[in-house]
Amino acid sequence: MVVERLDAEWLHGWCEQAAAALAKFMQSFQARHGFEPGTNVVVLASEASHHATETLVELTPIPSDLTTMYWVIHEVSLPDVENGYFVHPASLVEEHFREYGAVQIDGEEPAMVFASDGGGHLFALAGSGRVWRSTTASWFDQFDLAAAGLQEFLEGLSRQISGRP
């Protein structure tokens, strides 16, 4: 299965949609849950995050969709959406790569961990464009297919923010 590569224009639209959904989510959060939400944000890329992306690219060949994403998005922090979702900034991906290396998934090129959830599960993007989720909170255990591509992964986050299945 060939997945279309991530498009920067689509990403900009996703950021706008996610920000609008987050604003609505935050307005009703306290009434629904009885406590104030944490900081739930989609942070756009900056010159500093572009530099971090360049450093990551120099360190290792990262999947092209990840490079595209980091030219648009610095990070996503959604601690109050479901059990929490976090798309790590490129600088953290670099730190983790230096410490743990790439994730080995059977039948895939080595994958780059770029996100996690509130339970400590990791999300890794392989060279094929597919997104994998660790079955435990470990870099070295099994990873199962989570999404056909980064776009599908981000669309899933949008559904979680909006409370849609």
Side-chain angles (χ1 to χ4, degrees):
M1 171 184 205
V2 176
V3 176
E4 282 189 43
R5 292 300 179 192
L6 196 59
D7 178 70
E9 188 174 321
W10 180 89
L11 270 171
H12 283 287
W14 180 87
C15 290
E16 290 175 12
Q17 175 198 18
L22 276 173
K24 188 175 180 181
F25 173 80
M26 300 292 275
Q27 288 174 344
S28 62
F29 186 88
Q30 188 167 1
R32 280 191 326 244
H33 299 284
F35 59 92
E36 292 207 22
T39 303
N40 293 270
V41 295
V42 174
V43 181
L44 296 177
S46 65
E47 195 61 41
S49 62
H50 287 167
H51 178 69
T53 301
E54 290 170 353
T55 301
L56 183 59
V57 169
E58 289 172 9
L59 177 65
T60 182
I62 69 172
S64 63
D65 285 354
L66 208 53
T67 305
T68 302
M69 183 187 75
Y70 282 132
W71 279 105
V72 177
I73 298 172
H74 172 64
E75 74 177 305
V76 178
S77 180
L78 306 171
D80 298 308
V81 174
E82 293 295 317
N83 71 335
Y85 292 97
F86 308 91
V87 174
H88 306 155
S91 58
L92 184 58
V93 173
E94 175 196 349
E95 286 177 36
H96 287 161
F97 180 80
R98 288 182 190 279
E99 187 170 346
Y100 303 108
V103 172
Q104 303 302 314
I105 299 169
D106 289 341
E108 282 280 4
E109 297 173 27
M112 206 54 136
V113 171
F114 72 96
S116 60
D117 67 19
H121 295 99
L122 306 171
F123 294 93
L125 183 66
S128 66
R130 293 186 286 195
V131 177
W132 298 83
R133 180 182 181 264
S134 65
T135 56
T136 65
S138 172
W139 290 73
F140 307 107
D141 283 340
Q142 181 178 333
F143 280 71
D144 292 335
L145 187 63
L150 198 48
Q151 182 171 330
E152 183 179 295
F153 174 81
L154 293 170
E155 288 169 343
L157 288 183
S158 289
R159 286 190 300 278
Q160 296 291 340
I161 295 166
S162 299
R164 294 178 283 138

